[in-house]
Amino acid sequence: MTQVLALLLALLIGVIAGLRAMTAPAVVAWGAMLGWIDVADKWSEWVGHPITVTVLSILLVGELITDQLPKTPSRKVPPQFIARLITGGFAGAVIGSAFFHTFSATGAGIVGAVLGTLAGAELRSRLGAANNGNDRPGAFLEDGIAVGGGFLVAFLVSFI
């Protein structure tokens, strides 16, 4: 049962990576630092270090800002899509490492990233169309879902 729940949370953190690539690694770093994700004496222990948390948090804030710019490329172009797969897999692996299921959780994170990327693009497109082409409200909504949902997933790891 523990493995199934860990894989489900790894999948969900992958979905978060599909919405915002840097959110997933940043929130698992915070989760590790706060003790929600047990990384002690594991390969992923470095993720909870304050320097790692700081760097990933800065990258997250930078992404939230640049996402609002009109020249930001689609998340579905290869570099953007690949970045989401990598960060989703990484964040899933960190969650999985707490339960010694790194490899399967990496896969779950990658699958979640695909789902989050495609669903997020579709949601933002529909919200933009409903707002006469203005996708900024959808972007802010997606930011909130990604950050809030990411922290929720990291927090839920502590209950497994």
Side-chain angles (χ1 to χ4, degrees), residues 4 22 26 31 42-43 56-57 66 68 71 95 100 104-105 120 129 131 134 138-140 146 153 160:
V4 171
M22 292 312 302
K42 298 177 178 84
W43 69 266
L56 291 173
S57 296
T66 59
Q68 304 300 321
K71 294 191 184 232
I95 288 174
F100 303 101
S104 55
N131 286 310
N134 180 8
F140 287 129
V153 169
I160 297 179

Side-chain angles (χ1 to χ4, degrees), residues 6-160:
L7 291 177
L8 176 61
L9 292 175
L11 177 83
L12 291 174
I13 204 67
V15 170
I16 298 302
L19 299 177
R20 294 288 179 272
M22 292 312 302
T23 301
V27 298
V28 296
W30 275 98
M33 187 176 78
L34 294 171
W36 299 342
I37 302 172
D38 178 16
V39 295
D41 300 322
K42 298 177 178 84
W43 69 266
S44 54
E45 186 171 29
W46 63 274
V47 174
H49 191 280
I51 293 173
T52 308
V53 173
T54 301
V55 169
L56 291 173
S57 296
I58 290 168
L59 292 172
L60 166 61
V61 170
E63 180 182 35
L64 294 176
I65 292 168
T66 59
D67 182 61
Q68 304 300 321
L69 301 175
K71 294 191 184 232
T72 301
S74 166
R75 73 186 82 205
K76 296 190 288 184
V77 299
Q80 298 287 335
F81 201 105
I82 291 167
R84 285 164 164 73
L85 297 178
I86 291 168
T87 61
F90 170 74
V94 171
I95 288 174
S97 73
F99 308 98
F100 303 101
H101 296 296
T102 297
F103 294 110
S104 55
T106 301
I110 291 169
V111 169
V114 170
L115 297 173
T117 300
L118 298 176
E122 183 64 25
L123 173 66
R124 187 139 165 207
S125 172
R126 288 182 186 208
L127 288 173
N131 286 310
N132 298 320
N134 180 8
D135 78 337
R136 189 156 294 193
F140 287 129
L141 176 64
E142 192 175 8
D143 289 346
I145 291 169
V147 174
F151 274 103
L152 178 61
V153 169
F155 178 66
L156 290 175
V157 172
S158 66
F159 291 101
I160 297 179

